[in-house]
Amino acid sequence: MRKVKRTKVRGWRWRNNPLRHHSDAVEAWVVLATRATAMAGGAAVGVVGAQAMESVVERQRAGRQPVAAVLLETAPTGVRDVATGIKYDHVKAKVRWNDGNGVAHTVKAGVKPGAEADTEVTVWTDGQGRAVSEPVSPAEATARVALAGTGVAMAGCLVILVGGLTVRLRVERRATERWGEEWDLVGPQWGRTTG
């Protein structure tokens, strides 16, 4: 069996020819507008998403302060995740510190495994004196910002492309309906014999 080689003509919807319908030109414009909007819109929402994540990370880093605390108990060692078996690099243990007003705070905070009682540890607090997790490192902050910007950009592009595809399918469906209407008018004439 011989394979048929198809010739692809680029840009045929843009050229004037007797077989081109108005719907072909509309479809070409929809595709062009969708791609241009997806690139520009995706980049724009990606930048906005990255800036939003950057402000969240900066607020988090600005609101956390290190304080010196005393470990009240020896921290457990060899604690592993039940599901994965991975050893934790921080465990919860009781610590105490005094804030700027002289008020003593006692909480369970994340410390290194095996730390001895009565040793000084660094605990991160928020503005209310509550123990919080350590702020993200600059490298992790950069990774989060980049990941958020990329994810938002991809989601924005996807929404625009799906919208463009929906419009394109609607144009194609309407063109098919018009061709059907034209065939209903012309089709019966093909069955006539000339004589």
Side-chain angles (χ1 to χ4, degrees):
M1 179 183 253
R2 197 170 139 205
K3 200 172 190 181
V4 176
K5 187 175 180 182
R6 295 179 65 185
T7 304
K8 189 166 187 169
V9 179
R10 294 194 180 272
W12 68 271
R13 286 185 174 95
W14 297 101
R15 296 183 186 147
N16 258 344
N17 68 57
L19 298 177
R20 187 184 81 164
H21 289 84
H22 175 71
S23 63
D24 295 327
V26 170
E27 187 178 349
W29 280 108
V30 167
V31 169
L32 180 66
T34 300
R35 289 181 181 171
T37 306
M39 287 191 299
V45 297
V47 168
V48 170
Q51 288 173 343
M53 178 55 82
E54 189 173 25
S55 70
V56 167
V57 168
E58 286 304 315
R59 270 197 318 265
Q60 180 206 47
R61 293 184 72 173
R64 296 181 184 203
Q65 310 151 9
V67 295
V70 175
L71 195 56
L72 299 177
E73 61 188 7
T74 301
T77 59
V79 179
R80 294 181 179 271
D81 185 283
V82 177
T84 62
I86 296 173
K87 262 189 169 179
Y88 289 120
D89 60 347
H90 280 81
V91 293
K92 295 282 186 177
K94 274 189 182 175
V95 298
R96 179 182 302 137
W97 77 91
N98 293 329
D99 64 15
N101 299 329
V103 178
H105 296 272
T106 304
V107 296
K108 284 200 171 230
V111 296
K112 298 245 185 239
E116 296 290 325
D118 296 326
T119 58
E120 191 171 289
V121 294
T122 301
V123 175
W124 291 86
T125 63
D126 61 6
Q128 316 303 318
R130 294 181 297 236
V132 293
S133 61
E134 185 176 347
V136 296
S137 67
E140 188 178 344
T142 302
R144 284 185 183 188
V145 168
L147 203 59
T150 303
V152 170
M154 290 174 63
C157 280
L158 185 62
V159 167
I160 293 168
L161 289 173
V162 167
L165 179 63
T166 303
V167 171
R168 183 177 176 195
L169 290 175
R170 184 142 174 104
V171 167
E172 285 182 4
R173 184 170 26 142
R174 183 62 190 133
T176 304
E177 289 171 0
R178 283 190 190 136
W179 292 340
E181 291 167 4
E182 290 174 9
W183 181 253
D184 288 342
L185 295 174
V186 177
Q189 296 174 7
W190 283 42
R192 294 187 190 158
T193 55
T194 56

